[in-house]
Amino acid sequence: MKRKIGIVLSGGGARGIAHLGVLKALEEFGVVPTHISGTSAGAIAGAFYASGYSIPEIVSILKKGQIFNFSNILIKRQGLFAMKGFHDIYKEYFSTDSFEDLNIPLYIAATDILKGELVYFSSGNLSQALMASSCIPLLFQPVNYNDTLFVDGGVLNNFPTEPLTGQCDIIIGSYVNSIKKEVDQVHMNNIVDRCFHLAMKSSVQSKIDSCTLYIEPPNMSQFSLFNLKRADEIFDYGYQYALTFEKQIKELDLAL
């Protein structure tokens, strides 16, 4: 009987493509997760993976659907945008739109903005959970679901190890928001992104110890949060970095 292997996928907008590079490297080392937990971009990547799509298929879907590409709407100043467009994309690729039909159990973190608390979705409507988890505050209107309003899970938990603790023998963390510590200047459109991830890094730091293996590609802030133009580069960056963990991965006791 094989051990239960959980993988935690952080949020990170377009940087979430790097998770797929990490998953590809893990597959090549013979490691396939039995459980997935994710926030925002990590939840989206995790949902497609848990649904059985191959990694090249997922990269293609995310690029085609422009799911992480908000650069075109950030220019506008017309208020908040709705997540409804994403619902059609998810319905196209998740035929039953249900957690119950996924090949791998999936946990999705979202922030209930009315109650001020974190919620984990693991059953029911998949597309609603994905939209709730990836609803970036100040950019999108909160998602109305289950008689309350949700925004991005990263507001309260950008690295949801908790659903996997206690039920997985091995937990692998993939975090794609590393920030270059010393920079000469920060452009205005990057200030919110930089502040947000500096603030959440301290809470992530305390969870690293619960991971058997923790993968954080360095200097991910070189890639825009909202632009898919470098998607292939982001994917390869995550993949190449994960390959450097070959020794640690082979040392994992993957069988009882």
Side-chain angles (χ1 to χ4, degrees):
M1 182 178 174
K2 289 189 175 181
R3 309 193 82 187
K4 292 180 179 177
I5 303 169
I7 188 161
V8 185
L9 306 175
S10 73
R15 297 172 196 149
I17 298 282
H19 290 313
L20 298 169
V22 171
L23 285 165
K24 181 187 179 192
L26 291 174
E27 282 186 353
E28 291 178 0
F29 294 136
V31 179
V32 177
T34 59
H35 297 71
I36 300 173
S37 178
T39 293
S40 198
I44 295 168
F48 280 103
Y49 192 78
S51 190
Y53 288 99
S54 70
I55 288 172
E57 284 174 332
I58 301 169
V59 173
S60 176
I61 289 167
L62 296 183
K63 286 165 67 176
K64 175 185 163 192
Q66 298 289 291
I67 287 176
F68 301 134
N69 194 358
F70 304 132
S71 57
N72 57 331
I73 63 173
L74 282 175
I75 299 167
K76 302 173 185 174
R77 292 290 181 262
Q78 302 167 343
L80 301 179
F81 293 83
M83 298 286 295
K84 290 177 183 174
F86 297 108
H87 181 261
D88 296 335
I89 296 172
Y90 298 140
K91 286 288 286 183
E92 179 181 351
Y93 293 102
F94 303 121
S95 56
T96 63
D97 199 16
S98 168
F99 277 88
E100 283 72 19
D101 289 325
L102 297 174
N103 299 335
I104 301 171
L106 174 69
Y107 302 88
I108 292 178
T111 300
D112 183 331
I113 199 66
L114 298 185
K115 297 185 179 72
E117 62 188 29
L118 187 68
V119 173
Y120 294 110
F121 295 106
S122 58
S123 63
N125 191 302
L126 181 59
S127 62
Q128 287 290 341
L130 288 173
M131 289 189 292
S133 181
S134 59
C135 185
I136 299 171
L138 306 182
L139 179 60
F140 291 105
Q141 297 167 355
V143 171
N144 193 331
Y145 181 49
N146 286 350
D147 298 320
T148 189
L149 297 176
F150 290 96
V151 297
D152 199 298
V155 171
L156 289 179
N157 191 348
N158 202 36
F159 193 62
T161 57
E162 292 83 354
L164 306 182
T165 303
Q167 68 169 326
C168 291
D169 305 296
I170 291 168
I171 297 178
I172 298 171
S174 178
Y175 186 77
V176 296
N177 296 299
S178 56
I179 291 176
K180 188 176 180 182
K181 289 295 176 65
E182 296 177 11
V183 293
D184 295 327
Q185 59 182 349
V186 179
H187 296 293
M188 282 301 296
N189 58 346
N190 290 329
I191 285 179
V192 172
D193 172 31
R194 189 169 174 84
C195 291
F196 186 57
H197 289 107
L198 281 171
M200 70 172 59
K201 186 58 200 269
S202 59
S203 64
V204 170
Q205 200 69 38
S206 64
K207 301 186 194 184
I208 294 174
D209 290 341
S210 64
C211 295
T212 319
L213 182 70
Y214 177 73
I215 300 172
E216 181 182 333
N219 191 19
M220 285 296 292
S221 55
Q222 66 182 293
F223 303 112
S224 168
L225 194 67
F226 301 122
N227 197 330
L228 271 175
K229 286 180 181 175
R230 298 173 70 186
D232 293 331
E233 188 181 345
I234 295 170
F235 172 83
D236 193 59
Y237 190 77
Y239 170 65
Q240 295 295 338
Y241 184 72
L243 287 179
T244 67
F245 286 81
E246 180 176 9
K247 183 173 181 288
Q248 294 96 312
I249 291 169
K250 287 184 174 178
E251 287 174 351
L252 294 176
D253 184 12
L254 298 180
L256 287 173

